Amino acid sequence: MRLKPFLYTIAFFTSMTLSAQIEESKLDQLVESTLKTFNVPGISVGIIKDGKVVYAKGHGVRAMSNKKEMDNSTLVGVASNSKGFTCFALAMLVDQGKLNWDDKVRQHIPEFKLKDAWVTEQFTVRDLVTHRSGMGLGAGDLMFFPEADFNVSDVLKNVGHLEAESSFRSQFAYNNNMFIIAGEVLKRVSGLSWEEFIETKIMKPVGMTNSKASYNRVTDKSNIIEAHTLADGKLVQIPHDWSPLANPAGGIMSNVDDMLTWAQFLMNDAVTAKGERLLSEKQFHELWQLQTPLKVSANDSYNSNFKGYGLGWFLTDVKGGYKQVYHTGGLLGTVTQFTMIPDLDLAIVVLTNQMNGAAFTTITNTIKDSYLGYEDRNWLDKLGRNNTEWYTYNDSLKTVVFDQVAKMKNSAIIPKADAIVGAYKDVWFGKVSITQSGTDLRLLSDKSQTLKGSLFPYNATTFVVKWDNRSYDADCYVQFSFDETGKAVSATLKPIAPVTDFSFDFEDLKLIKQD
């Protein structure tokens, strides 16, 4: 669908007023209320409707530490909204005849190898970017989340050790490491790094003048957020944490102005403001075609008939069958949402500096509802209650666990320290050590050095690790297996509460004792 050409310039963003069903003052009030309800320091919001930017503002502050105002130019890590750029770049290579979506990955990366030999040989570039590998949710994400000492060669080697949870191409399971490998395909085929390609071949011609393909490529940090999250129930500011290894999965830094430019370009059929077509109609059409289906819930809020994943984008239909193209993104301390309904020439961008997705959902759904003709469904109250109940539930689980830990402190049934102390190794994650200092037991990772914490007994075979970095919200059970002499031979980990981000991929670890 060819929509109206660009009718705006960045210079006029902040002077535009909302021209549709929701008044600007009411939207201002909604965002301010959202900040308070979900304890978010700063949010920036942008809307395009009928070829015009009708809203582009920041609210709150960039960082708790400096209290500088968030605005439409404030840089934020858009996280997995980067995946659409990766697929657009691959599509450009398809246009150039250098690549096909159904090329086998091994044509371009001969050392690519998965656990199953047949799957290895059949795995295509399309499979890399459609979350249907057969591996579990977030498989292998500990190689970059939190930031760790792994590189692309490590990823290519280590995915061969990750177990499948379903048959190949049968189920959707979100996978960042396949996008890292897709970025390596882009590099080997184009001769440019992923970062160079994204910035020179896409961002520059599109007009995304302030965006960078990676945090470490941002030279001017005078207007950039700091990350925030809840740590033991208290909002705290945390350091930026993102490994450049995973840039093709989520590394882009951008702002509302530039993300609206990206949206306008996409809704203009991949034609820039200067009239340059960057992608053929055929390949652009391919990006938004359903590749991996997902279930639609019986009580879906938008009366959707289908849902699934395309090439770097989630796809669904909303009220009346309007096609919606969208994605979300999450880093440690920030979450974002990017939504387009091309049939309505509508795009909504929400960027935040706190990792609570209910905040962006509140804003996006309220704006979307106004254009779709829904009566006010009060998403703020609904999601605010859900958010409170969610954290209360997770806190209750943690309380039960740590109450049990307190009871076990001097129990005779807990394993002796010398039975578990030593070096352990996971085939893909590497060495993990359990050490003792006085009465304190510590768990430390060689490759992910910020992943360290204290061990506390839970029962006769299980301890709980309480991570030093409380912002992770990812405390785990550590369950040991013992030999006939009572010495530990292996250990597995499992989060104690569902609030733990799926990228803390502890459950795929199989730690084998080395000494």
Side-chain angles (χ1 to χ4, degrees):
M1 179 180 178
R2 183 65 181 268
L3 299 174
K4 297 178 182 178
F6 287 33
L7 299 175
Y8 66 92
T9 61
I10 297 298
F12 295 134
F13 269 16
T14 54
S15 66
M16 298 286 186
T17 57
L18 204 61
S19 60
Q21 286 85 343
I22 183 168
E23 296 175 7
E24 183 176 7
S25 60
K26 290 184 178 179
L27 184 50
D28 289 342
Q29 183 178 0
L30 170 70
V31 180
E32 293 293 332
S33 297
T34 299
L35 293 172
K36 296 174 183 176
T37 298
F38 301 105
N39 207 1
V40 181
I43 298 175
S44 50
V45 179
I47 305 170
I48 287 176
K49 183 70 175 79
D50 297 330
K52 297 179 181 180
V53 174
V54 295
Y55 192 90
K57 284 186 180 181
H59 295 261
V61 297
R62 305 172 208 166
M64 290 171 59
S65 58
N66 62 34
K67 303 296 183 183
K68 292 181 179 178
E69 291 184 357
M70 187 100 158
D71 60 36
N72 49 296
S73 298
T74 302
L75 290 173
V76 180
V78 302
S80 285
N81 282 298
S82 305
K83 290 180 168 69
F85 289 82
T86 298
C87 289
F88 193 99
L90 292 170
M92 292 174 78
L93 296 181
V94 175
D95 264 347
Q96 295 168 20
K98 297 178 179 179
L99 182 73
N100 286 306
W101 287 110
D102 297 313
D103 282 352
K104 303 298 191 290
V105 175
R106 283 172 64 84
Q107 291 176 234
H108 305 288
I109 306 179
E111 68 271 34
F112 175 76
K113 184 179 179 182
L114 301 178
K115 193 92 170 178
D116 185 289
W118 183 86
V119 174
T120 297
E121 297 300 331
Q122 298 302 311
F123 215 92
T124 66
V125 174
R126 190 186 302 271
D127 293 321
L128 288 175
V129 294
T130 49
H131 306 296
R132 59 190 193 186
S133 68
M135 296 178 200
L137 175 65
D141 278 4
L142 282 174
M143 286 186 277
F144 65 86
F145 190 101
E147 192 169 353
D149 185 22
F150 292 88
N151 57 36
V152 173
S153 295
D154 293 326
V155 171
L156 287 168
K157 177 182 176 183
N158 290 339
V159 293
H161 298 297
L162 295 170
E163 299 283 352
E165 289 190 3
S166 66
S167 57
F168 181 40
R169 295 177 182 155
S170 67
Q171 294 185 26
F172 177 94
Y174 201 84
N175 191 299
N176 288 299
N177 280 292
M178 293 299 108
F179 268 84
I180 293 174
I181 296 171
E184 182 66 10
V185 170
L186 179 74
K187 178 181 178 180
R188 296 194 188 189
V189 173
S190 71
L192 297 174
S193 70
W194 179 87
E195 293 82 4
E196 291 169 328
F197 194 105
I198 297 302
E199 289 180 5
T200 62
K201 304 297 184 182
I202 300 178
M203 288 178 172
K204 184 176 180 180
V206 167
M208 300 178 70
T209 56
N210 293 307
S211 299
K212 295 294 182 181
S214 179
Y215 180 85
N216 59 8
R217 295 169 73 90
V218 178
T219 54
D220 180 4
K221 292 186 170 67
S222 60
N223 189 2
I224 193 170
I225 66 154
E226 296 294 339
H228 306 81
T229 191
L230 295 178
D232 293 332
K234 181 181 179 182
L235 185 67
V236 296
Q237 183 173 311
I238 61 175
H240 175 84
D241 187 302
W242 183 257
S243 170
L245 166 68
N247 283 339
I252 287 174
M253 301 293 298
S254 191
N255 56 29
V256 159
D257 287 354
D258 278 7
M259 291 303 284
L260 288 175
T261 299
W262 173 236
Q264 184 75 315
F265 162 74
L266 292 172
M267 294 197 301
N268 198 39
D269 275 1
V271 176
T272 71
K274 295 179 179 179
E276 180 184 2
R277 172 169 287 284
L278 298 190
L279 200 61
S280 68
E281 292 182 7
K282 178 181 178 181
Q283 282 306 313
F284 186 61
H285 179 77
E286 186 75 5
L287 292 178
W288 292 354
Q289 295 306 299
L290 197 67
Q291 306 289 329
T292 308
L294 285 161
K295 290 184 178 180
V296 177
S297 62
N299 58 346
D300 179 77
S301 299
Y302 286 92
N303 306 112
S304 299
N305 298 293
F306 77 90
K307 185 178 181 181
Y309 203 80
L311 296 171
W313 297 96
F314 285 98
L315 305 164
T316 190
D317 68 315
V318 292
K319 185 181 182 183
Y322 298 114
K323 186 175 185 177
Q324 176 177 290
V325 183
Y326 65 109
H327 218 292
T328 59
L331 308 175
L332 284 169
T334 181
V335 290
T336 64
Q337 188 170 47
F338 183 91
T339 306
M340 296 177 290
I341 306 178
D343 291 340
L344 298 181
D345 200 357
L346 173 67
I348 305 163
V349 179
V350 184
L351 310 178
T352 83
N353 59 7
Q354 206 264 70
M355 51 191 302
N356 189 322
F360 65 53
T361 302
T362 293
I363 294 168
T364 297
N365 284 8
T366 303
I367 295 169
K368 190 165 61 174
D369 282 6
S370 73
Y371 288 102
L372 289 171
Y374 285 100
E375 293 184 5
D376 183 7
R377 296 194 278 184
N378 206 335
W379 288 104
L380 181 66
D381 284 353
K382 178 182 177 180
L383 295 178
R385 288 194 304 272
N386 290 349
N387 186 69
T388 299
E389 291 170 1
W390 173 245
Y391 279 102
T392 299
Y393 169 66
N394 279 275
D395 287 346
S396 70
L397 296 178
K398 299 172 195 175
T399 298
V400 170
V401 169
F402 284 101
D403 283 350
Q404 173 68 10
V405 164
K407 291 176 184 176
M408 293 297 292
K409 186 174 182 180
N410 298 309
S411 172
I413 70 168
I414 63 176
K416 301 297 184 185
D418 62 5
I420 63 170
V421 166
Y424 295 73
K425 186 177 181 181
D426 176 80
V427 69
W428 62 268
F429 189 61
K431 182 182 175 183
V432 173
S433 301
I434 296 177
T435 63
Q436 183 180 19
S437 177
T439 59
D440 295 333
L441 290 170
R442 300 278 293 164
L443 187 150
L444 312 135
S445 165
D446 267 17
K447 285 283 204 174
S448 186
Q449 295 188 10
T450 62
L451 202 59
K452 53 187 177 180
S454 296
L455 281 173
F456 301 96
Y458 181 74
N459 61 32
T461 62
T462 307
F463 283 69
V464 169
V465 59
K466 188 173 184 179
W467 304 112
D468 293 352
N469 190 328
R470 303 308 301 148
S471 69
Y472 290 166
D473 207 357
D475 295 338
C476 284
Y477 298 111
V478 183
Q479 184 168 2
F480 294 91
S481 296
F482 299 88
D483 64 16
E484 69 281 1
T485 70
K487 295 287 188 179
V489 294
S490 64
T492 57
L493 280 73
K494 179 183 178 182
I496 66 174
V499 72
T500 298
D501 192 287
F502 70 79
S503 282
F504 284 111
D505 183 36
F506 299 120
E507 289 172 285
D508 278 340
L509 297 178
K510 296 177 179 62
L511 299 173
I512 306 301
K513 196 154 188 295
Q514 303 296 294
D515 55 16

